[in-house]
């Protein structure tokens, strides 16, 4: 929206003797999306703008069209005409973004890289430091109000205790911003939101991932091998944080108890040709490259299975899911999750970190050089 204002695509326009303030022409915007590489083609551009309409971010100036048409029609951002619906989730997200921008833009910021239990964490702060800063900057009237603000930010997944064990307290406990608000997001990430994944159910495919039952709180999936032997695996998928925890407090969440049908419970055979150690991965000249993947979870999760430990590896990837779209592949090794170094952890711990973290997952993986 701000870029469109700067580019003068959003401006007052006159149509049929009436002036419509702060609007844009749909066809011109589609051209702009392609020219600025926000969309590869017009069809994708239309889908992106329809996504914004579906989420009440833009609308036709007279609300005569419920869909986005690539034509000489006038549309407007709801934030430019005061009709944007500010529910609690949006307000908390915007408050978190404002605080983050304020914190990173000042000298001697309390946000620093810190180490705890030999693990380095990005964008961290002590609870008491944050309380001092909020009161000092007038973001809260007193320490009690500042604690309440911190708790709301934590419950909405904007900040977290570094190992996800505590709520927010006025103490020297270490917390971090889990969302990097300054990461430039591409509009195409919107297309991964709430998308239904078309999964192959053919037993001829190497594997397929599908839900064990329609219960949204159950995170088990079936991995169907070529020999049709069905095995239970723990999958990194979720419908929402609250569905896993049974309440609105994700900081208390644990790995959900899975209810299995009477079938053989065993781990799938590893996709690795041989075990790999951390020393092999990290040794100078090792034939591995590090890649950063940004995965925006859809309605049921991210679409991959992680197994093993020290290091963990990607056991399976849903071919129609967000992880595959972000470039995740089988046999990659998990180096970090949302800025946290995880080569020394087992797959249960990494799965828990992912499921209790933000929907936008940033993972560093190590991949063998072919």
């Amino acid at each position: 929206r701000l870029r469109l204002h700067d580019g003068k695509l959003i401006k007052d326009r006159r149509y049929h003797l009436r002036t419509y303030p702060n609007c844009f022409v749909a066809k011109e915007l589609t051209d702009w999306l392609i020219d600025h590489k926000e969309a590869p083609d017009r069809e994708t551009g239309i889908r992106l703008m329809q996504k914004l309409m579906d989420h009440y971010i833009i609308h036709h100036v007279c609300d005569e069209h419920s869909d986005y048409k690539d034509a000489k029609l006038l549309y407007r951002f709801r934030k430019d005409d005061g009709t944007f619906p500010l529910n609690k989730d949006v307000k908390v997200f915007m408050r978190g973004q404002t605080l983050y921008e304020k914190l990173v833009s000042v000298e001697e910021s309390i946000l620093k890289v810190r180490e705890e239990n030999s693990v380095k964490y990005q964008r961290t702060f002590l609870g008491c430091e944050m309380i001092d800063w909020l009161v000092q900057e007038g973001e809260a009237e007193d320490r009690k109000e500042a604690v309440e603000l911190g708790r709301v930010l934590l419950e909405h997944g904007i900040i977290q205790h570094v190992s996800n064990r505590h709520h927010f307290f006025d103490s020297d406990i270490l917390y971090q911003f889990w969302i990097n608000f300054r990461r430039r997001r591409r509009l195409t990430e919107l297309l991964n939101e709430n998308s239904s994944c078309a999964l192959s159910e053919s037993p001829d495919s190497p594997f397929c991932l599908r839900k064990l039952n329609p219960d949204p709180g159950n995170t088990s999936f079936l991995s169907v091998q070529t020999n049709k032997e069905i095995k239970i695996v723990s999958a990194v998928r979720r419908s929402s944080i609250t569905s896993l925890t049974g309440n609105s407090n994700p900081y208390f969440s644990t790995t959900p108890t899975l209810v299995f049908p009477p079938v053989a419970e065993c781990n799938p055979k590893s996709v690795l040709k041989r075990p790999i150690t951390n020393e092999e991965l990290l040794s100078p000249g090792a034939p591995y490259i590090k890649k950063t993947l940004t995965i925006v979870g859809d309605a049921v999760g991210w679409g991959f299975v992680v197994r093993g430990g020290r290091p963990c590896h990607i056991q399976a990837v849903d071919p129609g899911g967000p992880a595959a779209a972000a470039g995740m592949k089988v046999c990659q090794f998990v180096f970090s999750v949302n800025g946290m170094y995880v080569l020394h952890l087992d797959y249960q711990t990494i799965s828990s970190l992912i499921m209790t973290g933000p929907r936008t997952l940033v993972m560093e993986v190590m991949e063998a050089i072919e």
Side-chain angles (χ1 to χ4, degrees):
R1 171 177 156 269
L2 295 178
R3 291 168 68 194
L4 293 175
H5 273 286
D6 291 340
K8 307 301 181 184
L9 264 77
I10 294 179
K11 59 185 178 182
D12 296 352
R13 298 175 187 269
R14 193 168 180 80
Y15 182 72
H16 284 182
L17 303 179
R18 180 178 174 183
T19 299
Y20 297 89
N22 293 322
C23 59
F24 59 87
V25 178
K27 191 174 185 303
E28 291 180 5
L29 180 55
T30 309
D31 293 336
W32 184 92
L33 291 173
I34 296 172
D35 292 342
H36 289 77
K37 302 189 185 308
E38 290 290 353
D41 49 51
R42 304 194 78 82
E43 181 184 355
T44 304
I46 294 169
R47 289 170 60 204
L48 287 169
M49 291 302 102
Q50 185 61 50
K51 203 76 170 177
L52 296 186
M53 289 197 73
D54 294 342
H55 286 78
Y56 301 100
I57 294 172
I58 64 174
H59 68 124
H60 181 256
V61 291
C62 298
D63 290 317
E64 293 177 354
H65 302 278
S66 60
D67 53 352
Y68 181 84
K69 297 181 182 296
D70 186 21
K72 292 184 178 180
L73 294 175
L74 299 181
Y75 292 82
R76 184 188 291 132
F77 279 83
R78 289 186 178 275
K79 200 159 185 187
D80 284 332
D81 62 12
T83 61
F84 182 64
L86 285 174
N87 59 33
K88 182 181 179 182
D89 290 340
V90 173
K91 288 180 180 178
V92 172
F93 183 89
M94 294 177 68
R95 184 72 186 278
Q97 183 176 22
T98 301
L99 293 175
Y100 181 87
E101 290 293 341
K102 196 171 179 179
L103 281 164
V104 298
S105 62
V106 298
E107 293 184 9
E108 301 299 322
S109 173
I110 63 173
L111 296 187
K112 299 175 182 177
V113 178
R114 290 182 172 91
E115 188 172 304
E116 184 173 285
N117 296 328
S118 301
V119 178
K120 287 186 178 180
Y121 299 94
Q122 305 288 330
R123 305 182 293 276
T124 68
F125 56 90
L126 300 178
C128 55
E129 285 182 336
M130 177 63 81
I131 299 298
D132 292 339
W133 183 84
L134 288 171
V135 175
Q136 177 184 330
E137 295 296 318
E139 296 289 346
E141 290 188 4
D142 50 40
R143 301 188 77 83
K144 180 180 178 182
E145 183 178 308
V147 170
E148 292 175 355
L149 174 57
R151 291 188 161 227
V152 169
L153 293 175
L154 187 144
E155 289 167 7
H156 283 74
I158 295 171
I159 64 172
Q160 292 281 358
H161 175 248
V162 290
S163 56
N164 205 35
R165 294 177 181 172
H166 301 286
H167 206 316
F168 185 78
F169 295 103
D170 184 0
S171 67
D172 59 357
I173 296 176
L174 191 60
Y175 301 89
Q176 70 178 154
F177 272 86
W178 275 63
I179 300 178
N180 181 3
F181 288 100
R182 287 205 165 181
R183 180 182 71 81
R184 170 133 182 227
R185 288 159 174 81
R186 303 203 66 82
L187 278 175
T188 50
E189 292 181 23
L190 291 172
L191 299 181
N192 289 328
E193 292 282 345
N194 300 321
S195 61
S196 57
C197 303
L199 306 180
S200 170
E201 296 291 338
S202 170
D204 296 327
S205 58
F207 67 87
C208 67
L209 299 178
R210 53 192 173 90
K211 274 218 155 179
L212 197 60
N213 60 53
D215 178 8
N218 192 336
T219 59
S220 10
F221 279 70
L222 294 179
S223 176
V224 182
Q225 311 295 332
T226 52
N227 60 4
K228 302 183 183 180
E229 179 185 2
I230 296 177
K231 302 176 180 180
I232 301 272
V233 298
S234 172
V236 182
R237 303 273 284 191
R238 70 173 184 184
S239 55
S240 67
I241 292 177
T242 52
S243 69
L244 291 176
T245 60
N247 55 50
S248 59
N249 300 326
Y251 51 90
F252 284 127
S253 56
T254 58
T255 303
T257 302
L258 305 181
V259 181
F260 298 117
V263 295
E265 295 184 30
C266 56
N267 292 331
K269 182 179 179 181
S270 175
V271 294
L272 300 178
K273 294 181 180 178
R274 64 178 182 85
I276 302 294
T277 65
N278 286 338
E279 288 72 21
E280 287 183 76
L281 280 178
L282 302 176
S283 62
Y288 296 94
I289 56 173
K290 189 188 297 182
K291 293 184 176 180
T292 301
L293 308 178
T294 301
I295 309 167
V296 182
D298 61 16
V300 291
W302 297 271
F304 65 96
V305 177
V306 60
R307 300 300 285 180
R310 304 176 184 88
C312 289
H313 63 274
I314 304 302
Q315 175 74 12
V317 180
D318 176 347
M328 180 172 283
K329 300 175 183 176
V330 171
C331 294
Q332 290 174 334
F333 295 92
V334 185
F335 183 86
S336 73
V337 174
N338 293 324
M340 179 179 176
Y341 176 82
V342 296
L343 280 181
H344 62 297
L345 300 178
D346 56 30
Y347 77 88
Q348 292 98 332
T349 305
I350 291 179
S351 296
S352 179
L353 281 173
I354 294 170
M355 287 191 290
T356 56
R359 172 174 287 190
T360 300
L361 171 65
V362 180
M363 289 181 64
E364 286 182 296
V365 297
M366 299 191 72
E367 178 179 317
I369 301 174
E370 298 181 358

